[in-house]
């Protein structure tokens, strides 16, 4: 194993752990949903807004700016500052007394968390060869099942002893320390040769910005602002952020494969947004006690999510090496298989082996999309705007997809309960699960459009060196 290979492996491990902390912070509110909803007097719609639009409205918009920053400056600084910011707001969540205070804390958590994935996925794209990127992205997104599953297990263990408020404060303190360590010890890999000349930093393996380089960066930014102010009269508007926005707008207009891939991923995450009420569903409509539901949900998400991330990455990379638009075709067939499985999960009797098996499959399906879509989005976007492309996908998937899905399942659940329908959460999640048919044509059309852009080639198994 070469030094470069070891460095890339350690970077992947570190970023995956940070992503796990990211999702643990984000999902801890869901892990304590059975305590938070009654204590704060929330409706299911309000809870859906807290886990959806309130969080993602800031998360996704700031993510576009963070993506532009990550394309131009030392990405470890972007990650470290963001990590400390969202962790401080996680701790502040423990002091919320009503919907408004909880919403404010969740909103500012989004500011910090928006900095992680655009920078991290871009760093991994520079550290690994193209033929491995779906698998690498899938491994990075192991942070989702590890973080989500870990948050449920953490809630089951810490909740009875500490309560939900102290648990938020403790997890936030851990994140602040982690942010300091990132800025002290993590190294930013050299950028793709096609974009290296656009970066105001030295080239070389894992080289940090020295004091002189930071001064150069400040001078470069100031020069950009001065030049832009002469053109626009606005010295606060950075031209390279405007350039990223224009590049993404151009891709959406001129690149149908890029636009369709974003639409497919957004529709897929909309359906998966139904899962935010699962813990309440297990307790209220499937007869589990809270601690048992937290433990089982955590273990199921860990098992199924890890399998989904790894198998999704392996399957998508295999398809990439054999077919034009292979990763998107792979997602299309995965989504076809998901239709009956997601519906069956909501209908089979609980406390049975089939129920648990389908719960694991559901966790697998919720994670299989991320690695292939992140890789496809980066392939289809200009190389100098990879981080901005990832940020745009996060905006669409998180704000429109997950945010819309969370709000819809909460609204439907409240509506069905008001109409006196038995098991309103079951009916709401069934309606959401049926929408899984919509991403299918989008993924296949995106694959077809990508195939027209380049002929399929046989790519040998890559060797990281």
């Amino acid at each position: 194993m070469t030094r470069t290979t070891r460095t890339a492996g350690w970077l992947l491990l570190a970023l995956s752990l940070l992503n796990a902390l990211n999702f643990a912070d984000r999902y801890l509110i869901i892990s304590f949903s059975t305590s938070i909803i009654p204590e704060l007097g929330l409706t299911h719609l309000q809870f859906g807004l807290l886990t959806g639009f309130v969080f993602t409205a800031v998360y996704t918009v700031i993510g576009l700016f963070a993506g532009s920053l990550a394309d131009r400056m030392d990405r470890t600084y972007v990650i470290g500052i963001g990590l400390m910011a969202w962790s401080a707001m996680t701790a502040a969540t423990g002091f919320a007394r009503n919907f408004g205070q909880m919403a404010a804390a969740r909103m500012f958590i989004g500011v910090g968390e928006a900095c992680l994935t655009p920078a991290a996925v871009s760093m991994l794209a520079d550290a690994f060869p193209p033929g491995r990127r779906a698998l690498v992205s899938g491994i990075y997104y192991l942070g989702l099942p590890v973080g989500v599953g870990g948050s449920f297990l953490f809630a089951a263990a810490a909740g009875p002893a500490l309560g939900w408020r102290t648990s938020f404060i403790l997890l936030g303190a851990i994140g602040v320390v982690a942010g300091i360590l990132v800025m002290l010890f993590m190294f930013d890999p050299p950028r793709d040769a096609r974009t290296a000349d656009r970066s105001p930093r030295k080239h070389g393996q894992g080289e940090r910005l020295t004091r002189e380089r930071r001064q150069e960066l400040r001078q470069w930014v100031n020069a950009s602002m001065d030049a832009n102010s002469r053109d626009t009269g606005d010295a606060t508007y950075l031209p390279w952020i405007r350039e990223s926005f224009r590049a993404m707008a151009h891709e959406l207009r001129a690149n149908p494969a890029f636009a369709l891939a974003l639409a497919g991923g957004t529709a897929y995450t909309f359906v998966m947004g139904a899962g935010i009420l699962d813990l309440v569903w297990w307790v209220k409509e499937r007869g589990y006690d809270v601690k048992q539901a937290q433990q089982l949900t955590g273990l199921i998400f860990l098992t199924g999510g890890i399998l989904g991330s790894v198998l999704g990455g392996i399957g998508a990379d295999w398809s990439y090496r054999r077919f034009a638009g292979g990763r998107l075709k792979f997602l299309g067939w995965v989504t076809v298989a998901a239709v009956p499985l997601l519906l069956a999960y909501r209908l089979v009797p609980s406390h049975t082996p089939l129920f648990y098996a389908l719960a694991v499959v559901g966790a697998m399906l919720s994670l299989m999309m991320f690695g292939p879509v992140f890789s496809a989005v980066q392939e289809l976007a200009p190389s100098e705007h990879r981080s901005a492309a990832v940020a745009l996908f996060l905006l669409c998937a998180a704000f429109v997809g997950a945010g819309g899905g969370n709000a819809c399942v909460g609204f439907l659940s409240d509506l069905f309960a008001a109409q006196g329908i038995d098991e309103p959460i079951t009916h709401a999640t069934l309606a959401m699960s049926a929408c899984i048919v919509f991403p299918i044509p989008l993924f296949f059309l995106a694959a077809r459009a990508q195939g027209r852009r380049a002929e399929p080639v046989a790519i040998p198994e890559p060797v990281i060196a």
Side-chain angles (χ1 to χ4, degrees):
M1 182 181 291
T2 67
R3 180 178 179 182
T4 302
T5 302
R6 289 195 299 270
T7 301
W10 282 112
L11 178 68
L12 176 59
L13 175 62
L15 292 174
S16 299
L17 290 174
L18 292 180
N19 202 29
L21 182 59
N22 166 21
F23 280 101
D25 281 355
R26 192 184 309 185
Y27 275 78
L28 196 61
I29 186 174
I30 299 173
S31 303
F32 281 112
S33 57
T34 54
S35 299
I36 293 173
I37 290 173
E39 183 172 332
L40 300 187
L42 304 177
T43 66
H44 287 167
L45 175 58
Q46 287 178 317
F47 187 73
L49 291 173
L50 287 174
T51 57
F53 283 129
V54 167
F55 173 82
T56 58
V58 176
Y59 171 75
T60 51
V61 173
I62 296 299
L64 290 176
F65 292 90
S68 295
L69 288 173
D71 281 329
R72 299 306 193 279
M73 64 181 294
D74 190 304
R75 290 168 286 195
T76 64
Y77 281 52
V78 175
I79 292 173
I81 293 171
L83 174 54
M84 289 188 288
W86 94 58
S87 297
M89 290 299 101
T90 298
T93 304
F95 298 97
R97 298 293 174 181
N98 53 49
F99 174 79
Q101 293 175 4
M102 181 71 79
R106 298 290 298 172
M107 190 177 296
F108 285 103
I109 287 175
V111 174
E113 288 196 2
C115 298
L116 175 61
T117 293
V121 173
S122 173
M123 290 169 72
L124 294 174
D126 289 329
F128 289 89
R132 288 284 179 88
R133 284 176 184 162
L135 177 58
V136 168
S137 295
I139 292 172
Y140 169 75
Y141 251 85
L142 286 175
L144 200 162
V146 172
V148 175
S151 73
F152 282 104
L153 296 175
F154 176 74
L162 302 177
W164 69 269
R165 295 183 182 278
T166 305
S167 298
F168 272 91
I169 295 170
L170 175 60
L171 196 60
I174 292 171
V176 171
V177 174
I180 295 171
L181 295 177
V182 165
M183 297 183 68
L184 289 175
F185 298 110
M186 183 176 283
F187 291 87
D188 193 352
R191 297 175 191 260
D192 188 292
R194 292 167 294 182
T195 63
D197 63 316
R198 304 181 63 84
S199 175
R201 65 187 296 273
K202 284 184 179 180
H203 304 296
Q205 174 62 38
E207 196 163 22
R208 259 193 185 284
L209 286 179
T210 62
R211 180 178 299 176
E212 293 78 11
R213 285 294 169 179
R214 289 196 294 271
Q215 180 63 31
E216 288 181 15
L217 174 61
R218 285 193 292 270
Q219 292 173 351
W220 178 79
V221 170
N222 290 335
S224 298
M225 293 169 65
D226 291 341
N228 190 66
S229 65
R230 289 193 295 271
D231 296 334
T232 66
D234 182 3
T236 64
Y237 191 82
L238 295 176
W240 36 270
I241 293 179
R242 180 177 61 185
E243 178 189 346
S244 293
F245 282 19
R246 286 179 173 175
M248 293 300 98
H250 171 77
E251 291 303 309
L252 289 172
R253 291 193 306 269
N255 187 346
F258 181 76
L260 287 165
L262 289 179
T266 301
Y268 197 99
T269 52
F270 177 86
V271 176
M272 297 305 162
I276 60 109
L277 289 178
D278 268 10
L279 185 67
V280 181
W281 179 63
W282 278 52
V283 172
K284 288 191 173 182
E285 298 184 10
R286 289 297 178 263
Y288 293 87
D289 64 59
V290 173
K291 185 173 182 179
Q292 183 186 28
Q294 288 172 330
Q295 291 172 333
L296 287 172
T297 303
L299 291 173
I300 285 169
F301 217 96
L302 277 172
T303 304
I306 290 172
L307 285 173
S309 293
V310 174
L311 293 178
I314 292 173
D317 281 342
W318 175 88
S319 187
Y320 167 80
R321 292 190 290 268
R322 285 158 178 80
F323 310 107
R327 285 172 176 149
L328 293 166
K329 284 182 180 177
F330 173 81
L331 280 176
W333 288 114
V334 165
T335 312
V336 169
V339 175
L341 297 173
L342 291 179
L343 294 174
Y345 172 50
R346 301 297 175 180
L347 295 172
V348 300
S350 59
H351 300 84
T352 63
L354 181 59
F355 177 79
Y356 296 129
L358 289 171
V360 171
V361 170
M364 287 178 57
L365 292 170
S366 67
L367 268 293
M368 290 188 82
M369 181 267 297
F370 287 100
V373 167
F374 275 128
S375 300
V377 164
Q378 291 186 89
E379 290 165 10
L380 292 166
S383 60
E384 66 268 27
H385 296 293
R386 282 177 179 158
S387 297
V390 171
L392 178 60
F393 169 67
L394 289 175
L395 185 151
C396 296
F399 183 67
V400 180
N406 292 2
C408 281
V409 74
F411 170 77
L412 289 174
S413 177
D414 288 339
L415 177 64
F416 294 152
Q419 293 176 346
I421 297 175
D422 290 336
E423 298 189 337
I425 300 176
T426 300
H427 286 82
T429 51
L430 270 173
M432 294 289 294
S433 297
C435 295
I436 194 64
V437 298
F438 294 112
I440 295 172
L442 295 172
F443 285 137
F444 282 122
L445 288 171
R448 183 178 180 182
Q450 185 179 14
R452 287 199 298 266
R453 290 169 61 89
E455 293 297 320
V457 294
I459 300 176
E461 290 287 347
V463 177
I464 300 176

